Amino acid sequence: MIHQGGVNLLGCFYPSCHFSKHPLILYSLSIFAALVILPIILNFYSMKKYFLAVASFFIYSHISLGQVYPGQMDSTFVPVRSHHYDPELTFDFCVNEPAWSNQAGIHSAFGSTDRLYFRKEVPVNHDNDLSSSYSTTVWRGERANAQILVWSSEALEQVRVSTQDLRSAEGNIIPKDRITFELVRYVLSNYPYAEKKAICGESPYKSGFLMPDRFETLDRFDLPSQTTRPVWMMVDVPRGTAPGTYKGKVEVRAKGKAPQLLNLEIVVQNQLLPYPKDWKYRLDLWQNPWAVAWYNHVEPWSPEHKMLLKQHLKHYADAGGTYITTYGVHSPWSDNSYMIEGGMIEWIKKADGTWAFDYKIFDEYVELAMECGIDEAITLYTPIPWGFRHRYKDEATGDYSYINWAPSSEEFKKMWNIFLTDFKFHLEAKSWLDITYIGINENPMEETLAAIHVVRNHDKCWKITYAGNWHKELDGLLDDYSFLYGEEPTITEQKARTATGRTSTVYVCCNPPIPNNFVFSPPIEGRWISWYVMAYGYDGFLRWAYDAWPEDADRDARHGSWAAGDCYMVYPGGKSCIRFEKMREGIVDFEKVRILRELTAQSGNAQAQGLLKQLDQHLSIFPKEKEFDENKISADVRKGNLIIRQLSDLLAK
């Protein structure tokens, strides 16, 4: 048996076997073998032959282990290569081995989408959330998510999950081609599940933890012995579906095993969810389009890159993504990402000392995002790059130069007035000025205020967005303010801000540890955040980042010093994940409540007003949540959705 961090007794090819990485250890072992083992083997040979063998062994060992070659690396740092690429890491071990004792054959059940299930553990039935039946209520045009678990103590081959059309008693159908199944892959985390003390900085955990998250197109899969495999099911209800109860079976089969049947029921209400592009929720996930080029080994901004970007942005658009992230300066976050964000606008100092600006990449990315349906806002980052570092191209030499312009300096005021004048003309020519924000990130207050005043004093046309802690002195200066969760205004202050017509969102990043969208976060936290948005009166949610991938994003979600998953919400190849879909569920909840409020006001229905009052009372508990017990917050979201269902039926057209 191979144990994590141990030795493979069948050979030293296991990555955790360090003997092969240390020449001195090998050399010592060779001496031991020569002096102890060889005499035993060669005891029937003459002493002459024995000593000749030992001498030869020592000579060979000295030559092979002692000689240094040009270009040689320290073997400690040489990675161990596999013969074949493994789509996920599998060096986890079982915590509850006895639970597998009676799990022979094929086992399947619906699990909760609010929690994670582990690869080497028999699924635990929390609050009866493991069941052979699944029922949910949705609007027309809504997506219903479910999680199917397949497990066995024995190896299973060619496991397949499928269904047929769902049918109502009236003979209407939800076609099977609107039902998709995604294999859930495990990725490496630097924190264990539901860790509440994750930090911005190096993780105190030196071990890795496998978490289910990444989706992969499912045809069939093999299941190793003592393994659980989640399968994510999505039912996209057509907008023209007749209201009613739709039923069907989900079949889970494996080679040589009798198939298992799970019961599926979708209740469709007579309410219509708008298209994502028409949602009012302000979703701002910062994009790093260079990562797509780097990960796919294509030239940035080539036709191949743009094709991949269109595929890549589809999930963002499908979740109602509204902000286009653009970069007015090179590497605004001081090379913080694994793949550096390049500037989309080239600053050029001409030979005569005047300045010019090349908007080619900026225009191409904005136009591409708009083609994908992301067209409500453009954010340009940032007058205050980390370290105040600005890059420009010197036309006289052809070289790039870097200069630090602090916002409080006269040089900054001069340069940004030159740039803003040129940028304004360009935006007007493109008809983009009205939707463009100058994005400012948190810095020392003196510099933050200085940058804001430079923009404000340049022209009244400019809108400013800012992400950081609540500062009352900034309130009246910002058109759009995103507050770090836990560092926010009071609800009264937020209502006053809303009354002025300014928009507000909330964000999480590497902190706080809860609630969050890490790969180790209970998935319900991602949905819960939008209920918090509703309760606080915010307009939406912001997060860095959508796609700042680490080196091996498909398998290893760790990213430098950050908590795993902090830097991306989708995977390469246009793949979604559990975290993203749970975030989307919360956004849909927000949209449904918004619509139901409008319908209630239009109807004057006293019963509906009573239910809406119940919903408002329920929402009041969300800002008070501190512990983030996944069972409790799941129950709170379910209770809120029960009121939504009641309102939806009452106000049905």
Side-chain angles (χ1 to χ4, degrees):
M1 180 177 293
I2 300 173
H3 296 279
Q4 188 177 30
V7 179
N8 182 350
L9 299 181
L10 301 179
C12 259
F13 298 103
Y14 181 52
S16 294
C17 180
H18 299 293
F19 293 153
S20 62
K21 298 181 179 181
H22 296 282
L24 290 177
I25 296 177
L26 275 177
Y27 191 63
S28 300
L29 289 174
S30 70
I31 295 174
F32 175 79
L35 295 178
V36 179
I37 299 176
L38 279 178
I40 297 173
I41 297 174
L42 302 176
N43 67 81
F44 294 107
Y45 288 78
S46 68
M47 287 299 290
K48 181 180 179 180
K49 291 182 178 180
Y50 166 68
F51 282 108
L52 283 172
V54 171
S56 300
F57 190 87
F58 273 113
I59 293 170
Y60 173 78
S61 299
H62 178 74
I63 293 173
S64 62
L65 298 175
Q67 184 170 342
V68 178
Y69 297 91
Q72 184 172 341
M73 291 178 60
D74 185 336
S75 61
T76 305
F77 301 103
V78 177
V80 177
R81 294 291 186 190
S82 298
H83 292 294
H84 303 284
Y85 181 81
D86 191 344
E88 62 188 356
L89 302 173
T90 57
F91 296 126
D92 52 331
F93 52 85
C94 183
V95 172
N96 186 11
E97 188 105 17
W100 288 105
S101 62
N102 61 346
Q103 302 298 316
I106 184 170
H107 295 264
S108 63
F110 286 107
S112 171
T113 63
D114 292 345
R115 67 175 71 251
L116 300 182
Y117 298 89
F118 296 92
R119 202 182 74 89
K120 296 301 293 181
E121 307 299 328
V122 176
V124 177
N125 192 6
H126 297 276
D127 297 330
N128 297 314
D129 56 9
L130 291 182
S131 175
S132 61
S133 299
Y134 175 75
S135 178
T136 190
T137 301
V138 298
W139 287 14
R140 294 177 293 137
E142 186 180 349
R143 175 179 301 161
N145 291 316
Q147 185 166 211
I148 298 166
L149 306 172
V150 184
W151 71 96
S152 179
S153 61
E154 58 184 295
L156 302 177
E157 296 181 355
Q158 300 192 42
V159 180
R160 286 172 284 174
V161 184
S162 62
T163 189
Q164 299 300 316
D165 296 341
L166 306 183
R167 297 184 177 275
S168 70
E170 295 76 22
N172 301 310
I173 67 168
I174 297 175
K176 66 178 181 180
D177 61 7
R178 301 302 296 265
I179 305 172
T180 57
F181 298 96
E182 299 281 349
L183 185 72
V184 180
R185 287 289 188 187
Y186 288 80
V187 298
L188 189 62
S189 168
N190 52 355
Y191 285 95
Y193 179 59
E195 175 59 73
K196 296 182 180 182
K197 296 182 180 179
I199 58 174
C200 295
E202 184 179 357
S203 167
Y205 291 97
K206 302 305 179 184
S207 300
F209 309 87
L210 287 182
M211 302 291 159
D213 190 47
R214 175 172 67 90
F215 290 172
E216 185 175 285
T217 302
L218 174 61
D219 176 39
R220 65 196 70 199
F221 61 92
D222 293 336
L223 188 75
S225 61
Q226 293 193 358
T227 300
T228 294
R229 175 63 62 181
V231 174
W232 197 267
M233 183 183 74
M234 292 180 284
V235 183
D236 285 293
V237 178
R239 296 172 62 80
T241 303
T245 300
Y246 294 78
K247 297 182 179 182
K249 301 286 187 181
V250 175
E251 182 181 83
V252 182
R253 63 167 57 244
K255 185 178 179 181
K257 303 293 183 181
Q260 291 202 331
L261 296 177
L262 305 175
N263 302 309
L264 176 61
E265 179 182 273
I266 306 292
V267 180
V268 180
Q269 296 180 297
N270 193 25
Q271 297 287 357
L272 181 63
L273 188 68
Y275 291 108
K277 66 181 180 62
D278 296 321
W279 295 352
K280 304 303 181 185
Y281 191 99
R282 294 175 72 86
L283 178 63
D284 187 4
L285 304 180
W286 292 7
Q287 306 115 56
N288 181 350
W290 289 271
V292 176
W294 156 72
Y295 211 88
N296 291 280
H297 307 287
V298 298
E299 185 70 22
W301 313 111
S302 63
E304 295 83 4
H305 183 205
K306 293 175 185 177
M307 178 189 68
L308 290 166
L309 281 172
K310 287 183 179 181
Q311 177 194 45
H312 172 66
L313 290 171
K314 68 180 181 182
H315 295 298
Y316 184 42
D318 184 56
T322 54
Y323 288 79
I324 306 169
T325 307
T326 65
Y327 300 88
V329 297
H330 180 79
S331 187
W333 319 130
S334 190
D335 306 344
N336 184 55
S337 296
Y338 185 85
M339 182 61 184
I340 295 171
E341 302 97 340
M344 291 181 175
I345 301 172
E346 186 87 287
W347 293 48
I348 305 166
K349 186 177 183 180
K350 299 176 72 68
D352 62 4
T354 60
W355 289 84
F357 305 91
D358 185 346
Y359 298 100
K360 181 177 183 295
I361 294 175
F362 174 86
D363 291 350
E364 289 181 357
Y365 186 63
V366 170
E367 289 166 358
L368 184 147
M370 287 182 170
E371 288 176 18
C372 296
I374 308 161
D375 56 9
E376 186 173 322
I378 303 165
T379 304
L380 184 86
Y381 292 102
T382 169
I384 318 181
W386 288 11
F388 310 144
R389 185 184 66 173
H390 290 70
R391 189 185 80 167
Y392 66 91
K393 188 174 184 178
D394 191 329
E395 191 177 69
T397 64
D399 295 333
Y400 283 111
S401 294
Y402 291 87
I403 190 167
N404 295 339
W405 289 323
S408 56
S409 68
E410 290 301 318
E411 293 87 352
F412 178 95
K413 296 175 186 176
K414 176 184 175 182
M415 288 309 307
W416 270 84
N417 271 286
I418 293 171
F419 169 70
L420 290 171
T421 297
D422 196 85
F423 190 40
K424 178 188 174 186
F425 287 144
H426 183 76
L427 293 173
E428 287 177 329
K430 303 291 291 187
S431 300
W432 296 340
L433 180 61
D434 291 342
I435 62 170
T436 297
Y437 292 78
I438 303 299
I440 297 179
N441 50 292
E442 192 158 32
N443 275 272
M445 185 55 62
E446 177 188 0
E447 303 299 341
T448 298
L449 285 169
I452 291 173
H453 288 313
V454 168
V455 176
R456 284 277 177 233
N457 293 336
H458 177 266
D459 198 297
K460 293 181 179 179
C461 71
W462 294 115
K463 293 190 288 292
I464 300 176
T465 182
Y466 175 88
N469 295 353
W470 163 250
H471 301 286
K472 198 170 181 65
E473 60 266 43
L474 297 182
D475 185 31
L477 301 173
L478 304 172
D479 302 275
D480 182 71
Y481 202 153
S482 189
F483 312 105
L484 177 64
Y485 177 91
E487 302 291 339
E488 306 157 78
T490 65
I491 291 180
T492 301
E493 289 171 323
Q494 171 54 26
K495 287 181 178 178
R497 177 173 172 80
T498 301
T500 66
R502 295 180 171 91
T503 54
S504 306
T505 59
V506 67
Y507 77 92
V508 296
C509 55
C510 61
N511 65 62
I514 51 176
N516 219 300
N517 311 97
F518 303 135
V519 297
F520 56 86
S521 300
I524 185 59
E525 289 184 15
R527 187 174 188 175
W528 184 95
I529 286 171
S530 287
W531 283 83
Y532 181 83
V533 168
M534 284 188 266
Y536 229 98
Y538 293 140
D539 299 286
F541 175 65
L542 176 151
R543 206 187 199 297
W544 183 85
Y546 181 64
D547 50 10
W549 298 316
E551 181 181 14
D552 191 8
D554 277 343
R555 304 191 302 179
D556 190 346
R558 299 170 302 160
H559 195 300
S561 296
W562 314 127
D566 176 36
C567 306
Y568 62 105
M569 290 290 292
V570 295
Y571 287 80
K575 302 187 202 79
S576 186
C577 62
I578 291 176
R579 293 178 293 137
F580 191 88
E581 294 302 322
K582 294 303 292 187
M583 179 195 71
R584 190 183 186 278
E585 285 182 355
I587 295 171
V588 170
D589 294 339
F590 178 98
E591 287 299 308
K592 291 165 80 170
V593 170
R594 177 186 64 80
I595 293 168
L596 290 170
R597 289 189 187 280
E598 293 175 358
L599 292 176
T600 299
Q602 294 167 9
S603 72
N605 187 305
Q607 190 177 353
Q609 291 171 352
L611 282 171
L612 201 57
K613 185 177 180 180
Q614 288 183 33
L615 181 62
D616 288 334
Q617 290 173 341
H618 182 59
L619 283 170
S620 69
I621 72 172
F622 286 83
K624 302 172 186 175
E625 179 62 56
K626 302 299 180 186
E627 298 301 319
F628 288 93
D629 174 80
E630 62 184 303
N631 295 320
K632 180 181 181 302
I633 64 175
S634 284
D636 290 341
V637 171
R638 286 197 303 272
K639 182 177 178 180
N641 272 285
L642 176 60
I643 301 174
I644 289 175
R645 290 197 294 273
Q646 293 170 334
L647 267 170
S648 299
D649 279 334
L650 185 63
L651 297 170
K653 297 179 180 178

